[in-house]
Amino acid sequence: MTALATVRSDTFASFSVPNFRRYFAGQAVSMVGTWMQAVAQSWLVLQLTGSATALGSVVALQTLPVLVLGPYGGVVADRLDKRKLMIGLQTMMGLLALVLGLLTVTGAVELWHVYLLAFLLGLNNCFENPARQAFVLEMVGPDVLRNAVSLNSVLVNAARAVGPAIAGIVIAAGGLGVCFLLNAVSFVAVVLSLIRLDVDELRPSPPATRAPGQLREGLRYVAGEPTLLVPLLMMALVGCLAYEFQVVLPVLAQDSFGGDASVYGFMTAAMGVGAVVGGLFVAARGRTGLPALIGTSMVFGVVIAAAALAPTLWLELFALLLVGAGSVAFLSIGNSTLQLEAEPHMRGRVMALWSVAFLGSTPIGGPIAGAVSQHLGARVGLLMGAVTCVVAGLLGLLVIRRQRRVTPEAEPVSPDL
């Protein structure tokens, strides 16, 4: 086998699983549709109100359910067949997009419609996110889980680049409503891929029996397992204050480089390209575990600091390439580590807490990053995220060292030392 063939085999190892190939193809179509809807929804709200505050309200309505109800979504994911649950929830997401599309193309849409549908979508995500993330392990098994998670991250970032571009063409040619309708159709692809999976090849986790106190049980379980608690705390910190690029970068483009929306577009594209490259690297060569997550968090902080201090636009774009790579590496390693460390009957609840730490922190971190960027400058907003990443890494390092002091027998000392 040539070196190129070996790299290709390592990078796409999870594609050797037929079920994952089918699922990945369906997700590729659906993710593009999702990003098309995100762009169209933002423009729709601005057309209806002309208010950035209203746009922020829609984002909050879509993410607040994850913050409030996300842990219970994990309980449901642990109780039910994840594949069947996802089929139902993905179908519901398609119906929500269809309703918004019909309201828009008929000219009947009002702001409260968008608010309500955004809230219902966020409510759906409370249950779909943990089920989808825990289901990956049931498809591919532990040996290639990290690879599968990394390739999923590559897919999300590739769709983030392709979806908005297609949305721009569709909006110009057919209007905003067509984007919503196309997103509704895109869910057919992922639902069909789930229906067509070979269920005999899946490795389903044993369902948790319905019992009182299962949410508290999940929280106690995580609290008693440092290998789970520390990555979740790290993600909560980093997700809250470092992943607010959609708030900080537009201000950086305008205030630091005198740019317009096109400069912001270049910045976003640079991060997207870096995320794809970084995701492919992690898929082929990455590791899992707390030490790997700590190291990645530190590096992520360094490259964000480099982006904060870059004096020219070209250096800024190069730094953002590295930020994109660090971003997807941190997410992939953290996600894989939690899935491999969690007990099968607890995996849904653990991944629900991961979603809360990442997605649910947006309503908290977004306003903080916005206020810092407005009053102190976008560069300080980025530096805040960089410091947070380093602090999160130091937190993990402190826990590892404390564990080694508590259990010295696990680390025998050589008599030569």
Side-chain angles (χ1 to χ4, degrees):
M1 182 180 289
T2 65
L4 181 60
T6 301
V7 171
R8 187 185 301 117
S9 176
D10 291 342
T11 304
F12 301 100
S14 53
F15 280 178
S16 63
V17 181
N19 274 339
F20 184 70
R21 290 201 303 271
R22 296 189 189 101
Y23 172 80
F24 191 90
Q27 281 287 337
V29 176
S30 182
M31 283 291 179
V32 171
T34 296
W35 281 105
M36 289 175 61
Q37 170 146 336
V39 170
Q41 181 174 281
S42 296
W43 278 111
L44 175 61
V45 172
L46 288 175
Q47 281 188 358
L48 291 173
T49 67
S51 168
T53 301
L55 185 58
S57 298
V58 172
V59 174
L61 283 169
Q62 199 163 309
T63 54
L64 274 174
V66 177
L67 176 63
V68 177
L69 298 175
Y72 183 71
V75 174
V76 174
D78 281 334
R79 288 176 180 171
L80 302 179
D81 182 307
K82 296 178 183 60
R83 184 182 71 94
K84 293 179 180 178
L85 180 61
M86 289 172 63
I87 290 172
L89 293 173
Q90 294 279 351
T91 301
M92 180 60 66
M93 292 165 75
L95 290 175
L96 292 174
L98 177 62
V99 170
L100 184 56
L102 292 175
L103 287 171
T104 304
V105 296
T106 58
V109 68
E110 298 180 17
L111 183 61
W112 73 267
H113 294 145
V114 184
Y115 281 166
L116 176 61
L117 292 170
F119 176 77
L120 292 176
L121 181 60
L123 196 61
N124 189 96
N125 287 337
C126 291
F127 302 93
E128 195 271 342
N129 278 329
R132 171 167 41 85
Q133 295 188 65
F135 184 64
V136 174
L137 182 59
E138 296 187 5
M139 279 191 293
V140 304
D143 292 341
V144 293
L145 173 65
R146 174 188 48 75
N147 180 268
V149 170
S150 299
L151 290 178
N152 270 332
S153 296
V154 170
L155 173 62
V156 170
N157 285 282
R160 182 169 62 181
V162 174
I166 297 177
I169 298 172
V170 171
I171 291 170
L176 293 170
V178 179
C179 284
F180 302 132
L181 295 176
L182 288 176
N183 183 39
V185 173
S186 76
F187 282 102
V188 175
V190 69
V191 170
L192 286 178
S193 74
L194 289 166
I195 292 174
R196 293 181 60 246
L197 294 182
D198 185 349
V199 294
D200 293 331
E201 293 297 321
L202 296 177
R203 311 175 191 188
S205 304
T209 56
R210 182 182 295 271
Q214 286 181 312
L215 178 55
R216 291 192 300 273
E217 179 189 14
L219 294 174
R220 284 196 301 268
Y221 170 67
V222 168
E225 296 288 340
T227 54
L228 299 175
L229 180 61
V230 175
L232 286 170
L233 291 176
M234 291 175 66
M235 184 69 253
L237 283 171
V238 175
C240 185
L241 297 177
Y243 275 95
E244 304 302 337
F245 300 110
Q246 76 276 13
V247 176
V248 178
L249 290 186
V251 182
L252 185 70
Q254 177 177 298
D255 294 350
S256 297
F257 298 106
D260 53 14
S262 63
V263 174
Y264 172 51
F266 285 131
M267 289 180 171
T268 304
M271 279 192 64
V273 171
V276 170
V277 174
L280 291 174
F281 177 81
V282 173
R285 303 296 183 194
R287 299 178 178 179
T288 57
L290 189 52
L293 186 64
I294 291 170
T296 304
S297 183
M298 297 285 198
V299 172
F300 191 25
V302 170
V303 295
I304 293 177
L309 300 174
T312 67
L313 180 59
W314 285 110
L315 287 176
E316 182 66 47
L317 294 177
F318 177 73
L320 288 174
L321 280 171
L322 301 180
V323 170
S327 168
V328 75
F330 183 82
L331 288 175
S332 298
I333 293 171
N335 187 305
S336 303
T337 298
L338 287 177
Q339 293 209 51
L340 291 173
E341 292 289 343
E343 294 292 334
H345 68 286
M346 289 286 187
R347 192 171 294 125
R349 277 165 279 188
V350 171
M351 298 317 296
L353 292 173
W354 174 258
S355 295
V356 170
F358 180 41
L359 299 175
S361 61
T362 298
I364 300 172
I368 295 174
V372 170
S373 298
Q374 179 177 342
H375 296 292
L376 301 177
R379 293 186 184 275
V380 177
L382 282 176
L383 282 174
M384 176 180 66
V387 171
T388 301
C389 291
V390 174
V391 169
L394 292 175
L395 170 66
L397 197 60
L398 180 64
V399 170
I400 286 181
R401 290 183 175 178
R402 180 172 296 176
Q403 282 183 307
R404 288 176 177 173
R405 287 199 300 268
V406 171
T407 56
E409 66 279 2
E411 297 287 341
V413 178
S414 170
D416 296 330
L417 297 180

